[in-house]
Amino acid sequence: MTDSQTSRALRASADVVILGAGPAGLVLGNLLLAAGTDCVILERASPSRVRTRARAGFLAPNTVRILDGHGLADGLHRYGHPHAACEFRTQDGRFRLDYGALGQGGRHHVYPQQDLVTDLLRHYLGRGGRIRFRTEVLAVHDTDGTRPSVTARGPDGRTVRWTARYVAGCDGRRGAARRSLPADAVHHHDHGVTWLGLLAQAPPSLDAVGYAVHDRGFAGHMARTPEVTRYYLQWQRGTAADAWPEQRIWDELDIRMRAPEYGPLNRGALLERGLFDLSCDVAEPLRHGSLFLAGDAASVLAPAAAKGANLAVLEAEMLAEALVDALTRGDTGGLDTYSDRSLEHIWRAQEFTGWMTRLLHAPPDGDPGAGSFFQAARRRSRIASLRTSRSHQDWFADNYVGV
Ligand code: FAD
């Protein structure tokens, strides 16, 4: 944006300008409003897109605690259901881990992300929250001073310059907050694996998360609702998501999930297909002057361990508390430590997610370990340890549900 365009922009202000109405932005907005703090959410998508974007589904105990603590968990308790088991299927047989009875006994709640976001939006609007849909943030300015601002283009094509005391970047991996960071601020790692993610109009086929480790590649099964199930297939990187007809996808899922041995999969229409490169990153540090990052804008995790939405909610709570302290009492201690405190959780989640990714997949082509007998034997041994060692299972359970 040129200087003359900026000077022609309309002007508006809020104490906290939040970019993005995903789980991070909406939890943050709700908590700020509850504390009487002035804020606005700027969201690129339409309300219907925000309410229907199907992504996560497994919410950790800490996420439920936060939502409960702020009166945001009504839908989750009414329509979600607790979940506490996963099943591994390998060439050596299958085994089930009732992780709710292992370690500290944490369980997930299964509740589709789009339903959670719909609830959060309803509460936010009910509390009188300001939100601008179809409003794309173009840039974040002056975060090293005390009066940062963002420029955003609204649905009428006009640009508004929002001035703020603080800016919260909750606009995901490809949002404007990240674009405003120095070039070397985001640290990447590519696991070298791609998943085809599927949403099927079919009831779950097992009462556990299914992780199938197969010579042909990984396959996964995760319940979403009594009528809809998410499946994953490890996929050749570079192959289009629609390259296979539905029949072939179901046949491949049957093979990798070993349906002839362990029971058929409920088939149904494939509602959605998407490709996910299992790559991850961390934007360390999470603070740049008066700009703070949370959720996927702060860190993206491979979906193997279902951590992203849970971290987003945790960071939103920590950031909300710190912003309220700063704005109401002039106490900036929480903001000063926000980045370090969040990064402790993020790196622990990255470590566990990386471990799960290596457990579930053979080293990809091009990796020094690809095709190695030694690597394959180590992976089998790792799975055998998980099958037989109680202390390994306790460790797994605590990391699987923890953030
Ligand atoms: P988002 O949900 O991405 O929200 C960001 C918002 O910012 C969006 O609404 C976007 O439209 C908006 N935006 C972007 N750019 C701009 C801009 N320039 N201006 C204005 N607005 C902008 N996590 C789990 O914890 N458990 C799971 O089971 C799980 N399963 C997953 C399955 C899949 C297939 C995928 C893709 C992800 C999964 N995740 C899971 C991860 C989880 O969905 C994300 O980590 C979570 O959505 C992050 O929330 P967020 O609010 O940070 O970002």
Side-chain angles (χ1 to χ4, degrees), residues 194-197 233 235-236 238-242 273-277:
T194 297
W195 281 3
L196 176 67
L233 265 185
W235 199 242
Q236 182 71 40
T239 303
D242 58 2
R273 301 180 185 207
L275 293 179
F276 303 102
D277 288 339

Side-chain angles (χ1 to χ4, degrees), residues 247-322:
Q247 173 79 28
R248 183 171 175 196
I249 286 178
W250 284 113
D251 291 348
E252 188 67 22
L253 281 167
D254 272 351
I255 294 171
R256 296 191 196 177
M257 298 287 300
R258 296 179 167 83
E261 282 165 82
Y262 302 131
L265 302 179
N266 297 317
R267 294 189 176 197
L270 296 179
L271 306 172
E272 221 180 270
R273 301 180 185 207
L275 293 179
F276 303 102
D277 288 339
L278 271 59
S279 64
C280 50
D281 59 46
V282 181
E284 179 168 354
L286 308 184
R287 175 180 189 174
H288 294 262
S290 43
L291 168 67
F292 295 82
L293 305 175
D296 280 10
S299 173
V300 173
L301 293 102
K307 296 277 181 228
N310 293 297
L311 277 172
V313 172
L314 172 66
E315 290 152 21
E317 184 192 44
M318 292 199 293
L319 184 55
E321 284 170 359

Side-chain angles (χ1 to χ4, degrees), residues 97-146:
L97 291 182
D98 288 308
Y99 56 83
L102 294 163
Q104 292 175 26
R107 301 186 298 173
H108 285 114
H109 262 75
V110 181
Y111 190 53
Q113 179 167 326
Q114 66 272 28
D115 296 341
L116 175 64
V117 163
T118 300
D119 296 347
L120 292 171
L121 185 56
R122 175 170 44 81
H123 285 291
Y124 182 75
L125 294 172
R127 292 170 178 181
R130 289 191 286 164
I131 184 164
R132 302 285 183 274
F133 288 106
R134 297 188 184 88
T135 295
E136 179 173 13
V137 175
L138 304 172
V140 183
H141 313 272
D142 304 326
T143 52
D144 46 359
T146 53

Side-chain angles (χ1 to χ4, degrees), residues 185-227:
V186 184
H187 311 278
H188 299 271
H189 176 72
D190 185 357
H191 293 289
V193 173
T194 297
W195 281 3
L196 176 67
L198 304 157
L199 264 189
Q201 183 71 53
S205 302
L206 49 160
D207 65 348
V209 177
Y211 293 115
V213 177
H214 200 283
D215 286 347
R216 297 167 72 105
F218 165 76
H221 161 286
M222 289 186 189
R224 281 295 184 259
T225 68
E227 300 86 27

Side-chain angles (χ1 to χ4, degrees), residues 336-392:
D336 294 340
T337 57
Y338 167 74
S339 178
D340 286 348
R341 287 182 293 130
S342 300
L343 284 165
E344 270 182 40
H345 297 281
I346 287 173
W347 282 116
R348 189 164 165 189
Q350 288 284 5
E351 166 54 21
F352 181 70
T353 301
W355 176 86
M356 277 226 37
T357 304
R358 290 191 297 279
L359 185 82
L360 300 176
H361 308 89
D365 292 345
D367 186 282
S372 148
F373 176 86
F374 196 86
Q375 295 286 355
R378 274 182 58 188
R379 195 154 65 102
R380 275 180 79 174
S381 167
R382 212 176 291 145
I383 293 172
S385 168
L386 194 57
R387 179 207 291 258
T388 54
S389 159
R390 174 65 197 244
S391 59
H392 200 173

